[in-house]
Amino acid sequence: MSPAGEIESTPPRTSAPAYGTSKIESTPNSRGASVVSENIGVLSVKVKNVGPWIQRDIEQVKECKADAMLQALLQRASSAPETEQPELLQKCLKAVLPVCNGQASTALVKSSDIETALNEYVCPGVENNFYGPFIRATNIALACLEEIKIDGMHAPVPTVDMICQQNDMPMHQMHQTKKSIRKPDLVILPLNSACAPFQDETGNKKGIQTNKQKGAQKNDEKDDEQRKKKRKAHMDTNATAKPKKLPWKDVLACIEFKRKIAGRTKGIKSPSSTYTVTDHVPTKPEYLPVDHLKAEVPVPGPSHTPATQPVSDSAPVRSSGLTAAQPSRGGSSSKRKATDTLESAAKKSKGDHDDKDADADADADLDVTVQTGLYAAEMFAANLGVNYLLNIIVVDDVMWIWYYDRQGIVQCSGINFIQDLPRFMVLLYALQRFDLHDWGRNKDFIPIEVEGKLCHKFKIDDENLGEVNLLLHTSHDERVTHYGLQGRATNVVPVTSEALTKKYGKFEDGMVAKIFWGEASRTSEPEILKRVEEIAKRHATVQDHVPQLLWHHTFTNPTAAIREALGVPEPTTGSRVLYILVFRKLLPITQLHGKDLFDVWRQCISCHLTLWKEGVHHRDVSPGNLMWYWKDSKRIGVLNDYNLSSLADDSGPRGNERTGTVPFMALDLLTEEGQRGKVKHLYRHDLESFIWCFAWISLRYENGVPLSRKLRPLDEWATLGAVACGEKKYVFQGRMKKLPAPSHIDSSLWAFLVDCLGMLNRHHFNRWAANTPTNCEESDSDIDAFLQSFENTKGWAALSKLLSKSSQ
């Protein structure tokens, strides 16, 4: 008889632990796009709502002073970026005054035209009337600032030659199998990238230059005059035009505008006649508000909405007043929806659009901070291993610089760029001296075209292997990419390497590279895999059932460094570093069904059990981490992905990131307390995850192929917040016994699922009835008894017997 006993009813689900404690027992759950990105992978990029998860990242934004941000950017653009230079900002503010006061000029532009453009900008009117004046003021300033030399600062970077470009046109990007559509107002681009969309069919720049001239410019770096003429021609003709098919990979920054009602009707205070260096004057508001976003937004599942339609939230959140002006729909115009889809544009049309996508974005209406966060997510996805990004939000005459990296987001206090023009000029001065690496692009991953497809090459000297050269096939159909702002941002791509092939030989299924941002405070995945390898030598249940790490490298670029420079509180909390790991390629468990699925799944459980008892706690069991490969005509199950694992001999929870993938987490962990880290992560929680994985795979796939969307009711779990998902799973667990077996599932497999979920229900009831503390310790005998209760079910025994017969 099972130690869990027998019950027929579903026990109450309590949200509180049996007794209170303030001790953090496990890593708290992080909220945000890192969660939905994993689930986008789970759902084959079918998640409809990404805005709410981006919103949750925005809610956690940190703040810094404007001068601290400017100082940090100037230092990055200086000739000694690693040296503190506290006087740099004041020196640069003084140096740009001639540009601010109309006293600087070049052969092609004069800075007095900046005032003319700003006077046009401050007039009343609708938002998109002001793109042109802002672009003209910015580009004239850049041309003048290029001539200013300041001791200790780099010269402008001609290979980038940044320019401000109007966009407000649909920008498309593929995320595995789905296309995103976004419409940033303005973008900062390298000059050549800004000119490219305006080429004619022969490849010439319309009215700007010929291919011959372009080639001469490229091959003759001294032809600075030709470059400036090209720039001036683009400023005069196309900088304020709308480009077509602008690629996200070229965007250096986005600038998003909003106009308050007063700015639209009364205008804005005019520019000063003379500018001097002054202390920064706080704006109102000093920071863009995000508190209003924290009202929970229910996220409907994809089954609730047709795939071709954007999903609307039934509960709007209070607006910050910084969304696009829209007519009332029968309610208060201060209510805005906080939603978005991968398939639709990120905002409403702000003027008369004649593009074919105008109807597609008619219902999207986001807070400006969320809009800009979505643009950052596109920019992260467009280039490999991006270190950080900058975007700018402009509301009337105030701008806020937003800094994004995988640790989180920092916004600086507002800068009134009309009344405090010197600080705006200093910002442009610094950015103009950024090379692509300073803009956050990873200089170690070099884009290269191979057989017509974009790849990336990576080369490094290894102390053991000498030169290691990797070719990352980043356009391969089997790549797994990330969409979001903060978190691990894991990308997995096929890779080839002469050095590694020479050492290990050629693998039949090839190799893959895993690129991710791990938390610096955690025991690293290579360290944990080293411990796993030692355990495998002693235990057959682990040997051959864990991933083979072929090579790894840790980059020395912690995200905490910028936070220390900006004076952000607790700068090292959640700090991340970039890793690249190369493994033998494995096959996904979702390809399997029936007894083969049970066989590989059971092998992974055996491996997991041994590792847990030996002190390696996996803590992120999900279908994507259950793999297999062929060996001697047998399928060998592999428990994969240890970057959220922990070691039993650690003194306590390490890291700031939640452990587990929401749809597969144990119910105890999907409570408010569990999400705050108040519930100790136990072996039984991981075994419960194994069972949810089996249910998910069985109910979502038929013979390794996903069922049609209407036959996949569990997809909704991946679109819900943790607590809401737990509630859905709890109801499903209690009703499982009464549900009819789907036609595609074998009767023995269905009986197994019913038995396992029924056993989970009984254990839950017994713990509730006995008032068992959620944080009680587990002995090895407790662990064995818990697993044995499932192995003793009729369904498990029947599948084991069937598997035994087939292997004879």
Side-chain angles (χ1 to χ4, degrees):
M1 178 178 175
S2 166
E6 294 288 338
I7 65 163
E8 294 298 329
S9 61
T10 301
R13 183 169 193 253
T14 57
S15 60
Y19 64 96
T21 177
S22 60
K23 180 183 177 184
I24 299 298
E25 297 289 350
S26 62
T27 306
N29 190 349
S30 66
R31 303 171 68 234
S34 60
V35 178
V36 76
S37 181
E38 293 162 0
N39 299 334
I40 285 174
V42 164
L43 296 175
S44 304
V45 203
K46 296 294 185 181
V47 170
K48 304 300 298 180
N49 282 353
V50 295
W53 281 273
I54 297 293
Q55 172 181 310
R56 290 170 187 171
D57 285 340
I58 300 298
E59 291 170 14
Q60 303 171 63
V61 65
K62 307 298 183 183
E63 298 170 348
C64 74
K65 295 298 183 181
D67 281 359
M69 179 68 77
L70 293 175
Q71 174 71 32
L73 297 178
L74 284 169
Q75 189 155 316
R76 188 165 285 172
S78 75
S79 53
E82 303 301 324
T83 304
E84 282 194 36
Q85 303 171 68
E87 77 291 344
L88 199 54
L89 176 57
Q90 289 300 311
K91 185 193 301 185
C92 291
L93 285 170
K94 292 177 184 177
V96 301
L97 287 179
V99 177
C100 300
N101 292 320
Q103 300 165 348
S105 62
T106 72
L108 299 175
V109 299
K110 55 184 185 295
S111 66
S112 57
D113 288 339
I114 296 174
E115 183 181 3
T116 303
L118 292 180
N119 275 318
E120 184 179 346
Y121 178 89
V122 299
C123 293
V126 296
E127 172 188 315
N128 55 352
N129 288 351
F130 305 99
Y131 301 162
F134 185 91
I135 291 168
R136 290 194 295 275
T138 299
N139 288 335
I140 292 167
L142 287 168
C144 295
L145 291 169
E146 187 173 352
E147 307 297 323
I148 294 179
K149 296 177 174 59
I150 301 175
D151 288 343
M153 295 298 295
H154 278 310
V157 182
T159 54
V160 176
D161 200 7
M162 66 170 276
I163 194 166
C164 186
Q165 173 70 49
Q166 178 162 341
N167 181 59
D168 203 27
M169 288 286 285
M171 292 177 60
H172 305 105
Q173 184 163 219
M174 295 303 297
H175 301 279
Q176 294 179 138
T177 61
K178 280 294 178 182
K179 180 190 291 186
S180 64
I181 306 173
R182 309 277 177 228
K183 288 185 181 179
D185 294 335
L186 311 186
V187 289
I188 300 295
L189 296 168
L191 177 60
N192 287 337
S193 299
C195 294
F198 300 98
Q199 286 180 321
D200 62 27
E201 293 181 357
T202 63
N204 293 333
K205 305 290 184 183
K206 296 179 181 178
I208 298 179
Q209 66 172 13
T210 66
N211 277 336
K212 183 177 180 180
Q213 289 171 322
K214 180 181 178 183
Q217 174 194 320
K218 183 176 181 180
N219 296 322
D220 186 2
E221 295 180 358
K222 295 181 180 180
D223 196 0
D224 195 49
E225 182 180 352
Q226 181 62 39
R227 176 184 62 81
K228 291 178 180 178
K229 287 181 178 179
K230 171 187 174 181
R231 179 187 182 84
K232 181 64 165 61
H234 186 77
M235 288 168 55
D236 292 343
T237 56
N238 291 326
T240 53
K242 295 180 178 181
K244 294 182 178 179
K245 298 181 179 180
L246 192 64
W248 277 106
K249 67 180 180 62
D250 293 342
V251 175
L252 302 174
C254 295
I255 305 176
E256 193 67 9
F257 286 79
K258 293 289 175 256
R259 276 268 166 143
K260 295 179 182 178
I261 293 175
R264 293 196 299 269
T265 58
K266 299 179 181 179
I268 300 169
K269 186 177 178 181
S270 299
S272 173
S273 58
T274 304
Y275 290 96
T276 59
V277 176
T278 62
D279 291 339
H280 175 257
V281 178
T283 57
K284 294 182 180 180
E286 187 173 8
Y287 298 96
L288 280 173
V290 296
D291 288 345
H292 66 283
L293 298 175
K294 295 181 181 180
E296 285 294 332
V297 180
V299 186
S303 60
H304 292 173
T305 307
T308 57
Q309 298 295 324
V311 180
S312 295
D313 296 311
S314 58
V317 297
R318 180 173 58 84
S319 171
S320 62
L322 304 181
T323 49
Q326 301 295 338
S328 172
R329 299 184 180 85
S332 169
S333 61
S334 68
K335 298 292 185 180
R336 302 294 185 218
K337 297 175 213 169
T339 183
D340 191 44
T341 69
L342 269 178
E343 288 76 15
S344 70
K347 59 182 178 177
K348 287 196 172 183
S349 174
K350 291 186 278 186
D352 294 328
H353 285 287
D354 57 1
D355 63 85
K356 63 183 180 181
D357 295 290
D359 291 339
D361 65 344
D363 291 333
D365 190 3
L366 303 177
D367 189 274
V368 65
T369 59
V370 182
Q371 275 185 16
T372 315
L374 285 162
Y375 305 153
E378 298 292 341
M379 295 160 69
F380 271 128
N383 290 285
L384 188 63
V386 174
N387 293 313
Y388 50 82
L389 299 169
L390 293 172
N391 281 330
I392 297 172
I393 297 174
V394 179
V395 182
D396 291 344
D397 52 0
V398 180
M399 62 171 49
W400 290 265
I401 306 165
W402 282 59
Y403 178 100
Y404 309 81
D405 63 20
R406 298 308 189 177
Q407 184 176 344
I409 307 164
V410 182
Q411 68 159 318
C412 78
S413 55
I415 300 171
N416 188 316
F417 67 95
I418 303 289
Q419 304 307 318
D420 196 351
L421 187 60
R423 279 178 170 77
F424 181 32
M425 294 298 101
V426 164
L427 171 64
L428 295 178
Y429 186 87
L431 298 181
Q432 188 180 49
R433 283 145 183 81
F434 276 14
D435 60 22
L436 289 179
H437 177 62
D438 294 322
W439 279 106
R441 302 293 167 79
N442 196 308
K443 61 184 177 182
D444 295 303
F445 298 113
I446 310 300
I448 183 174
E449 193 170 287
V450 178
E451 298 179 354
K453 290 193 173 183
L454 177 66
C455 298
H456 287 78
K457 62 180 181 180
F458 175 79
K459 186 184 295 185
I460 194 168
D461 289 328
D462 184 273
E463 60 182 17
N464 297 319
L465 298 179
E467 184 179 88
V468 173
N469 55 337
L470 305 180
L471 181 62
L472 302 159
H473 299 269
T474 43
S475 297
H476 198 281
D477 291 341
E478 295 182 1
R479 74 193 187 281
V480 178
T481 56
H482 175 271
Y483 187 88
L485 295 181
Q486 63 192 62
R488 288 169 290 166
T490 302
N491 285 264
V492 180
V493 297
V495 63
T496 52
S497 169
E498 294 178 3
L500 297 182
T501 300
K502 183 178 179 180
K503 178 176 181 180
Y504 295 102
K506 190 172 183 179
F507 294 101
E508 181 179 350
D509 295 317
M511 299 179 292
V512 295
K514 175 181 175 182
I515 304 159
F516 68 98
W517 289 86
E519 281 198 272
S521 61
R522 284 191 183 277
T523 305
S524 71
E525 186 168 9
E527 290 179 80
I528 289 178
L529 286 173
K530 186 175 181 181
R531 178 82 67 92
V532 167
E533 186 180 351
E534 295 170 356
I535 297 170
K537 294 175 182 177
R538 306 191 302 269
H539 296 276
T541 52
V542 177
Q543 190 174 18
D544 296 332
H545 296 284
V546 290
Q548 182 180 1
L549 178 60
L550 307 176
W551 182 83
H552 66 91
H553 175 70
T554 305
F555 295 82
T556 55
N557 54 342
T559 56
I562 183 66
R563 285 162 178 77
E564 292 171 343
L566 295 176
V568 173
E570 299 181 337
T572 60
T573 300
S575 179
R576 294 183 178 275
V577 292
L578 186 63
Y579 294 90
I580 179 168
L581 283 60
V582 178
F583 296 96
R584 172 184 179 175
K585 182 184 175 183
L586 301 168
L587 302 171
I589 197 172
T590 53
Q591 291 182 353
L592 306 178
H593 65 282
K595 67 179 188 300
D596 294 330
L597 170 62
F598 177 74
D599 181 27
V600 168
W601 177 82
R602 191 176 63 170
Q603 291 179 50
C604 292
I605 287 178
S606 297
C607 174
H608 175 275
L609 174 66
T610 303
L611 289 176
W612 190 281
K613 290 181 176 181
E614 291 290 325
V616 176
H617 299 170
H618 191 278
R619 307 203 309 170
D620 188 20
V621 175
S622 66
N625 295 337
L626 307 179
M627 312 291 284
W628 64 281
Y629 65 97
W630 288 105
K631 181 180 181 181
D632 300 332
S633 301
K634 293 182 179 180
R635 290 183 179 86
I636 307 298
V638 174
L639 182 62
N640 199 34
D641 195 352
Y642 292 79
N643 63 15
L644 286 184
S645 301
S646 64
L647 301 177
D649 52 14
D650 277 350
S651 58
R654 297 178 63 175
N656 193 51
E657 186 175 16
R658 64 113 183 95
T659 51
T661 304
V662 168
F664 315 107
M665 290 171 69
L667 296 183
D668 283 352
L669 302 177
L670 295 178
T671 60
E672 294 287 356
E673 286 69 25
Q675 294 299 290
R676 291 198 296 266
K678 298 293 184 67
V679 177
K680 185 178 179 65
H681 197 124
L682 304 172
Y683 169 81
R684 62 176 171 83
H685 295 137
D686 271 13
L687 184 58
E688 183 176 336
S689 292
F690 273 105
I691 293 166
W692 289 119
C693 288
F694 200 101
W696 175 279
I697 297 166
S698 300
L699 293 168
R700 194 173 189 272
Y701 295 86
E702 182 175 12
N703 297 326
V705 179
L707 296 165
S708 63
R709 180 164 297 280
K710 63 182 180 181
L711 298 177
R712 291 167 14 207
L714 304 192
D715 279 13
E716 182 185 16
W717 295 355
T719 69
L720 298 172
V723 175
C725 179
E727 292 168 352
K728 288 283 186 180
K729 289 171 63 176
Y730 177 69
V731 172
F732 178 83
Q733 173 183 288
R735 294 181 57 231
M736 182 71 175
K737 193 172 184 178
K738 299 178 181 179
L739 295 176
S743 58
H744 71 280
I745 297 183
D746 179 80
S747 59
S748 61
L749 206 66
W750 183 251
F752 165 75
L753 278 174
V754 170
D755 283 352
C756 284
L757 288 170
M759 185 58 65
L760 280 179
N761 210 36
R762 292 166 195 159
H763 279 294
H764 186 276
F765 178 85
N766 288 348
R767 289 193 298 273
W768 170 79
N771 199 26
T772 305
T774 56
N775 297 327
C776 61
E777 297 294 330
E778 286 178 317
S779 65
D780 283 358
S781 61
D782 293 330
I783 289 172
D784 291 336
F786 189 73
L787 176 58
Q788 190 67 49
S789 69
F790 292 92
E791 293 176 335
N792 287 344
T793 61
K794 292 180 180 179
W796 189 304
L799 278 181
S800 297
K801 186 176 181 181
L802 184 65
L803 192 63
S804 178
K805 284 182 179 180
S806 65
S807 64
Q808 292 176 356

